[in-house]
């Protein structure tokens, strides 16, 4: 069968070339034929082939039709049955941080205090005295037994190097004694509002663990990387994204990232489209500029404003109505951006009046509830419009707030991988009942809410296929939930793919430009080694990205 189809292909190919001149038909620059294309376009869900011209999709159709667009200069790719999807859009990412973390120390897989110390010791050997050791992404839940790291584990090997390595969720760091000294943190230092300096219950000395706002006490002493270093990190991140089929990224940024992306754009080395959020604390600057978002071109846009209501579940700083099951002393914390009281509402109001999109981080049920109250009041005051406001994470929800999210047309910006990761220990932290509406993707969808999916890289891997696998299986990483953790919240493969493509485009006001394989849209595609609709769901994450096409150009190929 295959040989026959190749012969036919060649015949058709030569026929097409011979008659191109008199047909006057537009010829493609690149065609992909003999594939299985799931387009995410409801009016033409399936196709066999795609033709690209310049930076756009010229046509989506059968191989036979597409081969009529092959001219003398057309590059032809025979997909041989491989699957094509729209290029993936990662709707929540810390992109340059991710690049730095690919370049820096890795503590993510560490399972013991000895290994923790030895990796840090090895790093010290490779750097100069006085240089900081940063990032790391450690996960104390993996330690045996699970325990928070302490400065004493590493002080001996880091006498001349300040250390500030973060938990993978970014809501806790471990600082060594030198870093604490530089920050002036002693046993007498009080925890700042929205943060905590952990202290030894016996000696009262800081253990080195700093949570949320307390992290700033040390972090403000870390020298800012140079623009050259940031560009290097961004390029490493872009290469990694291309390998994973990611062609668009929503960067939950720090204000300083723009010059990096602008420089990469100038030298034509941006291989993903960046939609960049700026901290909501900068809202007045936007107001003064009278700048409406999104603003920019198809490669680089200023998106909206990113804010925080609370912390994270793993750090016990996500804000709940009821106490944590494993620590009845706490219900979590409001983020420092919530102080003084009323400031968040004021800023959202300012942003909305200025015509700006907001994307606000809320994890605990109370954080989400408080945020929805704010949204409700601002909408009531400013009236209806096409806002596309987003809640980042929308992780633990009261059932009635799932309704409210839909009613207020808020986009739920979710990260399915967190469900299979946190699912290992979330019940211990907050009990089974609250977990029923944790990562409640299905319930959100059923009410009509748009789910924009992302990774939250480096909290989770920058890998949409693993995210899709997580959303459709909910099989926790420890293998203890083969049928899925709260399986009623599993979503369909179609919905999961849509979450990583068209819905991501919607979340940045760009669904007319990208997010589906459709004539006239930007030529961003991913080619997979297998038809993920026909394999067991468990194998989706093992599927390979064979090729990534960005802006009509092949940027990654296996
Ligand atoms: Zn994040």
């Amino acid at each position: 069968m295959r040989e026959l189809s190749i012969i036919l292909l060649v015949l058709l190919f030569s026929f097409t070339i011979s008659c191109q001149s008199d047909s006057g038909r537009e010829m493609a620059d690149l065609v992909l034929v003999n594939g299985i294309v799931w387009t995410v376009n409801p009016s033409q869900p399936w196709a066999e082939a795609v033709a690209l011209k310049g930076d756009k999709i010229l046509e989506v159709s059968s191989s036979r039709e597409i081969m009529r667009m092959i001219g003398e200069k057309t590059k032809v790719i025979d997909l041989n049955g491989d699957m094509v999807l729209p290029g993936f859009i990662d709707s929540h990412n810390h992109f340059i941080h991710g690049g730095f973390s690919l370049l820096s120390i890795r503590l993510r897989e560490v399972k013991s205090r000895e290994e923790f110390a030895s990796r840090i010791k090895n790093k010290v050997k490779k750097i100069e005295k006085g240089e900081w050791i940063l990032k790391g992404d450690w996960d104390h839940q993996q330690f045996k037994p699970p325990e928070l790291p302490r400065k004493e584990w590493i002080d001996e090997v880091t006498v001349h190097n300040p250390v500030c390595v973060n938990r993978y969720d970014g809501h806790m760091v471990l600082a060594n004694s030198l870093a604490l000294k530089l920050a002036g943190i002693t046993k007498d230092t009080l925890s700042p509002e929205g943060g905590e300096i952990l202290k030894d219950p016996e000696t009262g000395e800081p253990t080195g663990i700093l949570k949320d706002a307390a992290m700033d006490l040390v972090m403000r002493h870390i020298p800012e990387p140079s623009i050259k270093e940031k560009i290097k990190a961004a390029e490493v991140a872009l290469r990694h994204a291309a390998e994973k089929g990611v062609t668009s990224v929503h960067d939950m940024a720090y204000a300083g990232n723009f010059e990096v992306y602008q420089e990469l754009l100038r030298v034509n080395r941006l291989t993903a489209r960046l939609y960049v959020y700026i901290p909501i604390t900068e809202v007045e600057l936007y107001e003064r500029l009278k700048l409406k978002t999104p603003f920019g071109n198809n490669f680089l846009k200023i998106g909206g404003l990113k804010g925080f209501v609370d912390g994270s579940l793993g750090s016990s700083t996500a804000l709940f109505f009821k106490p944590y099951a494993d620590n009845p002393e706490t219900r979590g914390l409001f983020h420092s951006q919530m102080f003084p009281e009323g400031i968040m509402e004021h800023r959202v109001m300012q942003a909305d009046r200025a015509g700006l999109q907001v994307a606000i981080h809320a994890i605990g049920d109370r954080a989400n509830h408080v945020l929805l109250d704010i949204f409700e009041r601002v909408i009531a005051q400013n009236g209806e419009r096409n806002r596309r406001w987003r809640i980042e994470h929308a992780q633990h929800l009261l059932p009635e707030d799932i309704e409210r999210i839909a009613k207020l047309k808020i986009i739920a910006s979710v990260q399915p991988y967190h469900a299979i990761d946190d699912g290992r220990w979330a019940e211990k932290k907050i009990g089974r009942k609250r977990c029923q509406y944790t990562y409640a993707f299905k319930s959100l969808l059923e009410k009509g809410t748009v789910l924009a999916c992302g990774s939250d890289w480096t909290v989770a891997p920058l890998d949409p296929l693993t995210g899709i696998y997580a959303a459709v299986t909910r099989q926790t990483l420890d293998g203890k939930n083969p049928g899925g953790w709260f399986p009623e919240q599993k979503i369909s493969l179609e919905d999961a793919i849509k979450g990583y493509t068209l819905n991501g485009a919607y979340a940045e006001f760009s669904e007319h430009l990208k997010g589906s394989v459709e004539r006239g849209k930007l030529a961003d595609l991913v080619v997979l080694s297998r038809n993920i609709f026909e394999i067991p769901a468990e194998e989706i994450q093992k599927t390979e990205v064979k090729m990534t096409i960005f802006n009509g150009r092949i940027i990654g190929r296996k």
Side-chain angles (χ1 to χ4, degrees):
M1 270 309 277
R2 180 161 291 171
E3 269 160 44
L4 184 66
S5 70
I6 289 173
I7 292 168
L8 273 171
L9 205 151
V10 171
L11 276 174
L12 258 167
F13 181 72
S14 37
F15 173 74
T16 321
I17 289 179
S18 65
C19 68
Q20 62 159 305
S21 50
D22 45 327
S23 69
R25 183 182 299 116
E26 219 179 337
M27 293 303 156
D29 293 332
L30 174 64
V31 298
L32 296 96
V33 294
N34 290 327
I36 299 161
V37 187
W38 196 65
T39 65
V40 197
N41 170 13
S43 62
Q44 182 200 14
W46 296 96
E48 285 175 346
V50 189
L52 310 179
K53 188 170 180 70
D55 62 348
K56 300 272 166 38
I57 295 170
L58 180 63
E59 190 58 271
V60 185
S61 187
S62 63
S63 294
R64 193 190 158 90
E65 277 303 309
I66 293 300
M67 281 194 309
R68 287 151 63 96
M69 295 174 170
I70 297 173
E72 273 170 70
K73 290 186 183 139
T74 307
K75 185 175 166 59
V76 181
I77 293 172
D78 186 347
L79 291 169
N80 224 334
D82 286 343
M83 166 148 258
V84 177
L85 296 177
F88 293 128
I89 299 175
D90 189 311
S91 292
H92 187 119
N93 205 291
H94 303 273
F95 202 59
I96 293 182
H97 171 89
F100 273 117
S101 109
L102 288 176
L103 291 167
S104 71
I105 187 166
R106 274 190 74 92
L107 299 169
R108 185 66 188 255
E109 306 82 11
V110 167
K111 292 195 170 59
S112 69
R113 68 166 79 172
E114 292 74 27
E115 199 187 346
F116 193 95
S118 85
R119 286 207 188 186
I120 294 208
K121 190 177 169 187
N122 286 339
K123 184 74 184 174
V124 170
K125 284 185 199 150
K126 293 185 202 136
I127 59 177
E128 307 277 316
K129 271 187 189 174
E131 243 184 88
W132 284 74
I133 298 175
L134 302 169
K135 314 284 179 203
D137 294 322
W138 48 268
D139 176 9
H140 68 289
Q141 300 283 355
Q142 291 202 92
F143 299 167
K144 293 199 172 63
E147 59 177 335
L148 285 171
R150 299 176 59 103
K151 64 182 196 303
E152 291 79 17
W153 296 8
I154 55 169
D155 271 346
E156 228 170 78
V157 295
T158 56
V159 180
H160 304 292
N161 296 90
V163 177
C164 179
V165 286
N166 64 284
R167 182 174 189 270
Y168 71 101
D169 66 358
H171 291 270
M172 269 199 250
V173 295
L174 175 72
N176 67 346
S177 287
L178 182 54
L180 293 174
K181 194 173 152 207
L182 289 170
I185 297 173
T186 65
K187 64 197 288 191
D188 304 319
T189 313
L190 297 177
S191 293
E193 200 149 27
E196 194 183 355
I197 301 168
L198 238 59
K199 296 194 179 145
D200 187 289
E202 275 162 32
T203 63
E205 289 290 334
T207 69
I209 291 289
L210 307 170
K211 295 187 181 184
D212 284 297
M215 305 189 301
D216 298 341
L217 302 175
V218 165
M219 285 165 94
R220 70 169 76 117
H221 298 274
I222 299 169
E224 175 77 3
S226 68
I227 172 84
K228 242 175 113 183
E229 288 168 317
K230 286 190 200 171
I231 288 172
K232 190 174 164 203
E235 288 194 306
V236 169
L238 284 166
R239 261 202 305 284
H240 188 56
E243 281 167 18
K244 300 294 179 185
V246 174
T247 53
S248 286
V249 172
H250 298 177
D251 190 26
M252 297 297 152
Y254 312 97
N257 287 0
F258 252 102
E259 59 172 344
V260 179
Y261 298 138
Q262 271 187 311
E263 177 56 17
L264 287 169
L265 178 64
R266 190 183 69 79
V267 296
N268 199 20
R269 294 222 294 264
L270 263 192
T271 52
R273 305 182 196 283
L274 271 302
Y275 186 74
V276 182
Y277 284 88
I278 301 294
I280 197 165
T281 47
E282 306 287 338
V283 61
E284 271 152 30
L285 176 68
Y286 277 77
E287 260 195 325
R288 282 202 300 279
L289 288 170
K290 306 279 179 219
L291 181 79
K292 305 266 182 286
T293 59
F295 172 75
N297 58 28
N298 288 341
F299 293 96
L300 179 57
K301 280 184 185 153
I302 303 182
L305 299 166
K306 163 86 189 292
F308 287 89
V309 177
D310 65 346
S312 80
L313 183 68
S315 300
S316 304
T317 50
L319 186 69
F320 287 91
F321 282 105
K322 297 200 173 121
Y324 279 79
D326 65 341
N327 184 1
E329 308 277 277
T330 185
R331 295 161 196 247
L333 295 170
F334 272 120
H335 191 273
S336 58
Q337 283 184 3
M338 296 296 284
F339 302 103
E341 212 187 315
I343 185 81
M344 181 60 85
E345 181 160 343
H346 178 71
R347 283 179 174 150
V348 172
M349 184 72 82
Q350 266 181 309
D352 193 49
R353 288 209 176 121
L356 304 167
Q357 186 193 30
V358 296
I360 314 279
H361 164 121
I363 298 221
D365 55 14
R366 183 162 172 231
N368 279 280
H369 191 81
V370 167
L371 179 59
L372 288 167
D373 288 347
I374 292 174
F375 281 173
E376 225 163 47
R377 286 193 293 266
V378 173
I379 292 171
Q381 198 157 338
N382 292 353
E384 284 295 325
R385 70 178 185 87
N386 185 14
R387 294 182 163 82
R388 304 200 187 176
W389 279 351
R390 313 170 28 150
I391 298 183
E392 301 307 310
H393 312 302
Q395 200 162 295
H396 311 277
L397 300 166
L398 300 179
E400 60 263 39
D401 283 341
I402 294 177
E403 303 254 357
R404 273 211 297 171
I405 289 173
K407 210 178 109 223
L408 297 172
K409 301 193 186 78
I410 307 296
I411 295 166
S413 167
V414 298
Q415 302 76 37
Y417 186 89
H418 292 348
I420 62 169
D421 186 354
D422 299 5
R424 290 173 297 159
W425 42 260
E427 284 177 64
K428 244 186 278 159
K429 281 202 97 80
I430 54 170
R432 185 154 180 89
K433 192 156 166 256
R434 275 184 285 191
C435 286
Q436 279 174 354
Y437 294 101
T438 287
Y439 308 105
F441 307 144
K442 183 75 176 182
S443 302
L444 285 160
L445 275 179
E446 276 170 356
K447 298 287 172 203
T449 293
V450 172
L451 288 189
C453 295
S455 62
D456 207 2
W457 190 46
T458 59
V459 184
L462 172 60
D463 182 1
L465 283 171
T466 302
I468 289 168
Y469 154 80
V472 302
T473 68
R474 292 178 76 97
Q475 290 174 350
T476 50
L477 299 177
D478 56 12
K480 287 189 182 154
N481 294 277
W485 184 61
F486 295 93
E488 63 278 12
Q489 295 293 351
K490 289 189 216 174
I491 62 174
S492 69
L493 181 56
E494 288 86 346
D495 282 329
I497 296 173
K498 211 172 152 193
Y500 283 96
T501 54
L502 193 60
N503 290 355
Y506 178 85
E508 53 158 298
F509 298 91
S510 296
E511 71 278 15
H512 57 293
L513 284 174
K514 59 186 185 182
S516 60
V517 187
E518 222 172 315
R519 190 193 302 144
K521 283 201 174 180
L522 290 164
D524 298 348
L525 303 172
V526 56
V527 178
L528 307 180
S529 60
R530 303 174 74 183
N531 176 354
I532 56 175
F533 285 81
E534 285 190 348
I535 56 176
E538 292 70 36
E539 285 173 33
I540 294 172
Q541 58 168 347
K542 295 181 206 143
T543 302
E544 235 181 77
V545 170
K546 282 182 96 170
M547 191 187 296
T548 304
I549 296 173
F550 172 73
N551 210 44
R553 205 156 57 83
I554 298 168
I555 56 161
R557 191 172 195 176
K558 278 221 176 95

